[in-house]
Amino acid sequence: MAKCDACGKDESMPYNCRHCGGTYCAEHRLPENHGCSGLKDWNDPNGVFDSGFDDSVQNGGRSSASSRVLEKLPIDTGPGGPLAYFRGNMTYTFLALMWLTFLLQWIAIAVGGAFGFPNLHRALFVLAPQNPEYVWTWVTSVFAHSPINIFHIVFNSIVIFFFGPLVERYVGSKKFAILFVVSGALAGLAQIGIQITQGLGAIPAAGGVLGASGAALAIMGVITVLNPSLKVYLYFVLPVPIWLLTAGTAVISVFFIGTGGGGNVAHMAHLVGLVIGLGYGEYVKRTQNVRAPSQFQLGGGPGGPGGPGGPGGRRRF
């Protein structure tokens, strides 16, 4: 629970202004509603200040660069358009990109097979120990998933869907995007690093990593630090505090890394992503003095379907 710096109202889901660093309720979240110190830069010629809430805001009498780009798209990107749900919402944008990438993976497999390029999919989407210099795979591998195991992308999507919006609400969309991509890439690099030490890099077409597991566990790590007692429903049945789920994941990862087992599961990527999330969560807790609410529900709450619920609800996972 945090207090709004403008009116003193207790707010379970506060908004943190990225311009002045204050904490505000829904009524005072806009810069112009809480007398944000950044308002003095509203008319700067370089467009440094952007409220982030309404792309129709003019900077220095001119539209922002992002607004001009959106206006040229042959689709309604305004608040009432079909893409409105993704405005300022990187969690669901990344989920959409994951499933789009999943489709592109199958296209790459089909094209590669038809035109005699069997390694096309691997070269585009798999971060492999044989080719760590393929820097694009540092990012594409985060959004790609096993094309032959639908549960891989489904499980990661569930974790990101439930926990992603919580982290994004507290750190902001831009920092959330950086956390997601950086933690996912570093987790993947750590995984192929251990594969190289195991000699898989010397075997053609062996080893490699793909998937958003590292990023998903980084998200879970942040929530664990902000509120370790947050109750989740494991497999939608067993209620456990999130700290126990996080600790169990860490123990399992360390065990399989130490024994060299684990099959095709990227345990090093899981562990590195989790450590990054725990570290960043501690940074957020110390610098922003925020704490996630102890309970959430999906649907039926004041946030509408899929929005944050009131007391008594719980996040189910």
Side-chain angles (χ1 to χ4, degrees):
M1 188 75 68
K3 289 186 178 295
C4 174
D5 292 342
C7 65
K9 174 184 176 182
D10 289 330
E11 183 68 36
S12 62
M13 295 290 288
Y15 295 84
N16 293 103
C17 180
R18 64 171 178 254
H19 304 293
C20 66
T23 300
Y24 303 100
C25 63
E27 181 180 354
H28 295 99
R29 66 174 184 170
L30 295 177
E32 54 268 33
N33 287 351
H34 63 251
C36 181
S37 58
L39 285 174
K40 66 179 183 298
D41 297 322
W42 186 273
N43 293 318
D44 68 299
N46 294 323
V48 174
F49 184 82
D50 179 4
S51 69
F53 295 102
D54 188 353
D55 287 337
S56 67
V57 173
Q58 302 295 307
N59 292 307
R62 298 178 300 171
S63 298
S64 66
S66 60
S67 297
R68 293 195 298 270
V69 171
L70 291 176
E71 289 171 357
K72 295 179 181 179
L73 294 177
I75 189 172
D76 183 5
T77 59
L83 298 182
Y85 197 63
F86 296 97
R87 293 166 62 89
N89 192 334
M90 291 307 302
T91 300
Y92 299 131
T93 299
F94 281 159
L95 282 172
L97 287 176
M98 282 167 49
W99 285 92
L100 176 61
T101 302
F102 190 69
L103 174 62
L104 293 176
Q105 288 180 255
W106 277 106
I107 294 176
I109 292 172
V111 171
F115 293 94
F117 298 103
N119 293 324
L120 179 62
H121 172 266
R122 185 175 178 84
L124 291 177
F125 299 105
V126 180
L127 177 55
Q130 297 86 2
N131 302 108
E133 72 277 9
Y134 290 179
V135 293
W136 57 88
T137 63
W138 296 10
V139 176
T140 58
S141 64
V142 177
F143 295 94
H145 289 77
S146 172
I148 60 175
N149 182 7
I150 189 66
F151 294 104
H152 187 204
I153 187 172
V154 168
F155 181 79
N156 284 339
S157 296
I158 290 174
V159 175
I160 294 168
F161 177 81
F162 278 92
F163 297 130
L166 304 183
V167 175
E168 185 174 359
R169 173 69 63 87
Y170 281 96
V171 305
S173 296
K174 182 180 295 185
K175 292 180 180 179
F176 175 83
I178 294 174
L179 171 69
F180 189 96
V181 175
V182 171
S183 62
L186 291 178
L189 289 170
Q191 182 64 34
I192 68 167
I194 197 171
Q195 290 179 354
I196 290 174
T197 63
Q198 294 172 345
L200 294 180
I203 306 175
V209 63
L210 73 173
S213 300
L217 284 168
I219 292 172
M220 196 168 75
V222 174
I223 292 297
T224 300
V225 172
L226 294 182
N227 194 337
S229 62
L230 177 67
K231 183 175 292 186
V232 298
Y233 278 73
L234 186 61
Y235 300 116
F236 299 95
V237 177
L238 182 64
V240 296
I242 194 171
W243 73 262
L244 185 60
L245 183 63
T246 300
T249 301
V251 169
I252 291 173
S253 297
V254 170
F255 172 79
F256 281 113
I257 291 171
T259 59
N264 294 323
V265 179
H267 290 289
M268 177 59 76
H270 291 182
L271 184 62
V272 170
L274 189 58
V275 169
I276 291 174
L278 292 171
Y280 185 64
E282 186 63 29
Y283 170 79
V284 171
K285 184 177 181 180
R286 291 177 179 273
T287 58
Q288 299 186 20
N289 192 30
V290 298
R291 185 178 67 86
S294 60
Q295 297 179 337
F296 291 89
Q297 68 179 11
L298 284 182
R314 292 179 175 86
R315 278 282 178 179
R316 295 180 177 268
F317 160 47

